[in-house]
């Protein structure tokens, strides 16, 4: 997934467009897949019909009112009877104070570690 503005809401002045991208080798399969969008709120819940989340075609638009500092977005792409899952983070930089935790080991879990 990718966003043209990097997934950042600045001073409640913009929404974040999240676009999926699915490739099979060097062939773009984005338009051939179906997508399910979810946001994290104690567990992943469907974005469909929820205020602040708009699904247009394959794209998810996240409005400022849907984000309180940070929200994790999960996208499940279904293609050729297989499912592929990706995650994206949207940050609200409107808050006067923000803490970002960085790790020297990166931001990915590998083999549950």
């Amino acid at each position: 997934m990718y966003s043209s503005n990097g997934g950042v809401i600045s001073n409640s002045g913009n929404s974040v467009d999240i676009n999926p991208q699915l490739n099979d080798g060097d062939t773009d399969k984005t338009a051939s897949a179906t997508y399910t969008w979810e946001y994290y709120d104690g567990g992943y819940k469907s974005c469909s019909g929820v205020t602040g989340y708009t699904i247009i075609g394959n794209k998810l638009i996240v409005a400022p009112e849907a984000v309180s500092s940070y929200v994790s977005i999960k996208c499940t792409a279904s293609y050729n009877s297989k499912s592929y899952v990706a995650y994206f983070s949207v940050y609200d930089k409107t808050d006067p104070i923000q803490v970002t935790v960085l790790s020297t080991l990166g931001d990915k879990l590998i083999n549950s570690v």
Side-chain angles (χ1 to χ4, degrees):
M1 293 184 285
Y2 65 94
S3 175
S4 60
N5 64 358
V8 175
I9 295 172
S10 299
N11 298 322
S12 299
N14 63 290
S15 294
V16 172
D17 296 355
I18 305 172
N19 301 283
Q21 186 172 5
L22 184 66
N23 296 313
D24 183 5
D26 63 350
T27 307
D28 184 3
K29 300 294 183 182
T30 305
S32 302
T34 58
Y35 301 90
T36 302
W37 296 95
E38 298 173 291
Y39 68 99
Y40 188 83
D41 185 14
Y44 281 97
K45 301 176 181 177
S46 176
C47 293
S48 183
V50 177
T51 301
Y53 298 100
T54 306
I55 300 169
I56 299 177
N58 295 336
K59 175 172 56 175
L60 175 68
I61 301 170
V62 181
E65 62 266 18
V67 182
S68 177
S69 296
Y70 165 88
V71 68
S72 176
I73 301 294
K74 177 182 176 182
C75 178
T76 303
S78 299
Y79 174 75
N80 257 359
S81 301
K82 292 184 182 177
S83 293
Y84 305 91
V85 177
Y87 297 88
F88 192 86
S89 299
V90 177
Y91 296 92
D92 182 353
K93 298 289 186 172
T94 304
D95 296 335
I97 297 173
Q98 184 168 11
V99 176
T100 303
V101 179
L102 303 174
S103 170
T104 57
L105 300 175
D107 60 356
K108 308 265 185 290
L109 291 176
I110 299 172
N111 296 328
S112 300
V113 177

